[in-house]
Amino acid sequence: MTDTRAALDAMLAELEITPITIEHPPVHTVEEALPYWSALEGVHTKNLLLKGAKGGLWLVCVPTDRRLDLKALAAHVGAKKFSFASGETLLEALNVVQGSVSPLALINDKANAVQLVLAADMMSKPRITVHPLVNTATVSVTSAELLRFVEATGHRAEIVDFDRLPAS
């Protein structure tokens, strides 16, 4: 992971993105992270790697307090049904372990196999916090910087207004 973190830091520098970074003990859940995040400006996120019933991977990044209707989201993005990707799939697709996934892990998706979904309400805020490939640090970047980074990885973010999705 150290090599990929160095590659991430280099790419952020190349894109002239200087995140605000805090280091903290390993966290595996939002609840564990909240005490550390209180010192960091931005919408705090939860990130899920979802697998479509007929294939395909989606990385969904939403505010921590957002409840997700996975059936409605699957219908919106054209997937039959979603399940949570396994830790093995997460490692193969994004080269991160559970608890460390974020849109920044798209740097490791050279095959462009993962589709990114970002919450519209989150993207309308000035800053967003995510893990930088490890669960021992959190970074705060602007919404525009996050989109610039995603584009630089060759991905396209689908920004979804979850409040407007028809309930399943």
Side-chain angles (χ1 to χ4, degrees):
M1 297 294 162
T2 308
D3 290 345
T4 58
R5 176 73 190 269
L8 173 63
D9 291 344
M11 185 172 183
L12 291 172
E14 182 179 309
L15 294 169
E16 298 181 353
I17 297 172
T18 307
I20 301 166
T21 304
I22 60 168
E23 305 286 332
H24 49 71
V27 292
H28 299 92
T29 65
V30 167
E31 291 74 26
E32 287 179 23
L34 286 174
Y36 306 106
W37 289 349
S38 64
L40 195 58
E41 180 189 352
V43 176
H44 304 303
T45 61
K46 62 181 171 185
N47 299 272
L48 308 169
L49 187 65
L50 303 173
K51 188 175 183 177
K54 293 188 175 187
L57 294 170
W58 285 263
L59 174 56
V60 180
C61 181
V62 297
T64 56
D65 59 354
R66 165 72 57 196
R67 291 188 58 100
L68 286 178
D69 181 339
L70 294 182
K71 286 184 182 179
L73 179 59
H76 176 78
V77 300
K80 181 176 171 72
K81 180 178 150 185
F82 278 140
S83 62
F84 292 98
S86 67
E88 183 178 298
T89 300
L90 185 58
L91 194 57
E92 288 172 7
L94 296 172
N95 196 30
V96 293
V97 297
Q98 290 176 328
S100 300
V101 68
S102 82
L104 299 180
L106 292 173
I107 191 173
N108 296 326
D109 180 24
K110 305 299 186 202
N112 211 354
V114 178
Q115 298 178 55
L116 178 63
V117 174
L118 300 172
D121 56 337
M122 173 186 80
M123 294 306 292
S124 70
K125 304 296 184 198
R127 297 191 78 83
I128 298 165
T129 68
V130 294
H131 288 306
L133 311 180
V134 295
N135 66 354
T136 57
T138 305
V139 299
S140 173
V141 295
T142 69
S143 301
E145 288 171 335
L146 181 61
L147 289 176
R148 197 164 77 237
F149 173 84
V150 168
E151 285 181 16
T153 67
H155 292 78
R156 185 186 68 77
E158 180 174 354
I159 298 175
V160 174
D161 183 345
F162 286 92
D163 294 327
R164 292 187 175 265
L165 290 182
S168 60

